[in-house]
Amino acid sequence: MTKGRRPEDDQRNPASAVQEARAMQLPIKAIWVFHTAARAGSVARAAEQLSVTPSAVSQQIQALEVQLGVTLVNRVGRGLALTEAGERYFAMIGDELERVAEATSIIRGQRAITSLKVRATPTLSNKWLLPRLGRFLDTHPELEVRLDGTNEPTDFNRELVDVEIRHGDGRWPGLFVEGLGPENFVPVCAPSLAAPASLTPEQVMQFRLIRSVKSQAQWPRWLSDAGVQHDFDWKAVLFDRSHMAIDAACDGMGIALESNLMMWRELRDGLLVNPVRGAPGIRLTTQWIVCPTDHLRLKRVRVFLDWLREEYRRWSETEAILP
């Protein structure tokens, strides 16, 4: 027997030693599959993203669980939920794996691009988000943004959307929800229809009233707040999109009751004015940042939300000095 060796060392199976050595290696593939499934919230969606079968995804996750000696995920209906250990592990590896993917692309001589999919209402997309989006893209050239403009709420269990800016009352249980910020709804029209502060609240009834049927601020409330009797018919035109109501007001079709968040540019450029002196305003938060809580772990989501908050802050400061 060789000096310094134990008897049991000579009896070990060389194949077993190789297996033990392999077992000590980091299972990068299984870790990546787990990260993808945790981020997607579904084995089926992870399989689609990785171009493998759902059973292959499940096998890799199970192999990782055996390697770590803990349960990482539980199946919940058609999706999956992270255990407490899975939550901690996903949080710890997320940024590291994104850096590995970026470094791999760079070393291959490829441009490192990460896709960010955002969903927002058509009015917010056109009137507020698009005029500012270039600043975000210039600051984060590594991100490729897809903006999906629709009023349909996202089913995060089925759709590959990172974050949504949703119109509504902010009550969506089970999701991360944060108000973008308050808006002021005020009467506006083209200056050719009525000059700024030239009308009393009662005189508004002499004009065609433009209504956004899905808006949370409606004319009956404004008229009541202004002390105007409105228990009779008035001339009206209805639109199902606020951006159409804003454009109709710019064209002189009547007086609209709209959000200063959505029509800041028209107010700034003098295309719309508030024709009512002493007009009450309706202050509401109607646009909400919405996503599954685990999406907040994604760097691309965090930087986008930080940018959104800063853009709203900058807009609100500018709004204070608009005419």
Side-chain angles (χ1 to χ4, degrees):
M1 183 176 66
T2 304
K3 185 178 179 180
R5 290 179 59 83
R6 296 171 299 173
E8 59 267 30
D9 290 334
D10 293 327
Q11 299 172 4
R12 293 176 68 196
N13 185 335
S16 297
V18 172
Q19 290 172 358
E20 290 175 12
R22 287 177 176 171
M24 294 299 293
Q25 296 176 3
L26 196 61
I28 294 294
K29 182 177 180 180
I31 292 173
W32 183 258
V33 171
F34 162 73
H35 178 267
T36 303
R39 184 181 60 193
S42 163
V43 168
R45 290 171 63 191
E48 180 181 350
Q49 293 177 32
L50 295 168
S51 300
V52 298
T53 64
S55 62
V57 172
S58 297
Q59 289 170 9
Q60 288 292 332
I61 293 174
Q62 290 169 7
L64 181 60
E65 290 176 327
V66 170
Q67 181 86 5
L68 299 176
V70 295
T71 300
L72 298 173
V73 301
N74 291 319
R75 290 294 188 102
V76 179
R78 300 180 64 178
L80 58 81
L82 298 182
T83 64
E84 182 179 350
E87 291 272 358
R88 295 197 342 259
Y89 191 59
F90 183 64
M92 288 187 288
I93 67 175
D95 287 346
E96 298 299 329
L97 285 182
E98 288 186 17
R99 281 196 285 270
V100 168
E102 181 178 354
T104 302
S105 296
I106 291 173
I107 207 67
R108 285 176 173 172
Q110 300 172 355
R111 186 181 172 204
I113 292 293
T114 300
S115 178
L116 172 71
K117 184 171 181 180
V118 178
R119 176 169 288 182
T121 62
T123 297
L124 184 76
S125 297
N126 290 322
K127 295 294 188 180
W128 195 83
L129 197 52
L130 277 178
R132 294 166 169 78
L133 193 59
R135 284 201 289 266
F136 178 77
L137 297 174
D138 290 342
T139 306
H140 297 282
E142 78 283 2
L143 292 179
E144 180 180 75
V145 177
R146 174 176 173 178
L147 180 58
D148 182 5
T150 177
N151 281 317
E152 294 301 318
T154 303
D155 181 348
F156 287 100
N157 290 322
R158 294 176 176 271
E159 300 177 86
L160 297 177
V161 175
D162 291 307
V163 64
E164 178 185 359
I165 308 174
R166 184 179 296 183
H167 176 264
D169 59 11
R171 291 180 288 184
W172 299 289
L175 294 171
F176 168 80
V177 179
E178 177 187 326
L180 183 61
E183 312 154 51
N184 286 323
F185 289 79
V186 294
V188 291
C189 69
S192 59
L193 188 69
S198 62
L199 304 176
T200 65
E202 291 79 7
Q203 289 175 315
V204 167
M205 302 294 292
Q206 300 173 11
F207 294 81
R208 181 184 294 109
L209 301 185
I210 300 171
R211 296 180 58 189
S212 299
V213 296
K214 296 179 181 178
S215 174
Q216 295 181 54
Q218 294 291 334
W219 277 111
R221 174 178 172 180
W222 185 90
L223 292 167
S224 295
D225 290 349
V228 177
Q229 293 292 327
H230 57 277
D231 54 350
F232 54 89
D233 293 334
W234 62 77
K235 295 181 295 183
V237 57
L238 285 69
F239 297 98
D240 70 345
R241 298 286 188 272
S242 289
H243 66 87
M244 298 169 66
I246 293 170
D247 291 345
C250 289
D251 290 339
M253 196 176 297
I255 300 177
L257 181 65
E258 287 297 334
S259 161
N260 61 346
L261 183 73
M262 304 302 181
M263 55 186 181
W264 64 274
R265 191 158 49 181
E266 288 81 1
L267 290 169
R268 181 200 64 187
D269 296 343
L271 300 175
L272 290 175
V273 298
N274 185 341
V276 186
R277 55 182 176 270
I282 299 176
R283 190 169 177 82
L284 296 170
T285 296
T286 70
Q287 304 293 327
W288 305 82
I289 300 167
V290 177
C291 68
T293 303
D294 60 8
H295 284 202
L296 299 177
R297 299 189 183 95
L298 301 174
K299 182 180 178 181
R300 63 180 182 271
V301 171
R302 295 198 303 270
V303 297
F304 182 70
L305 296 193
D306 288 343
W307 173 80
L308 270 181
R309 296 175 185 120
E310 176 61 18
E311 284 296 323
Y312 176 84
R313 185 193 65 78
R314 292 173 60 177
W315 169 80
S316 60
E317 290 179 353
T318 303
E319 171 62 20
I321 61 174
L322 284 176

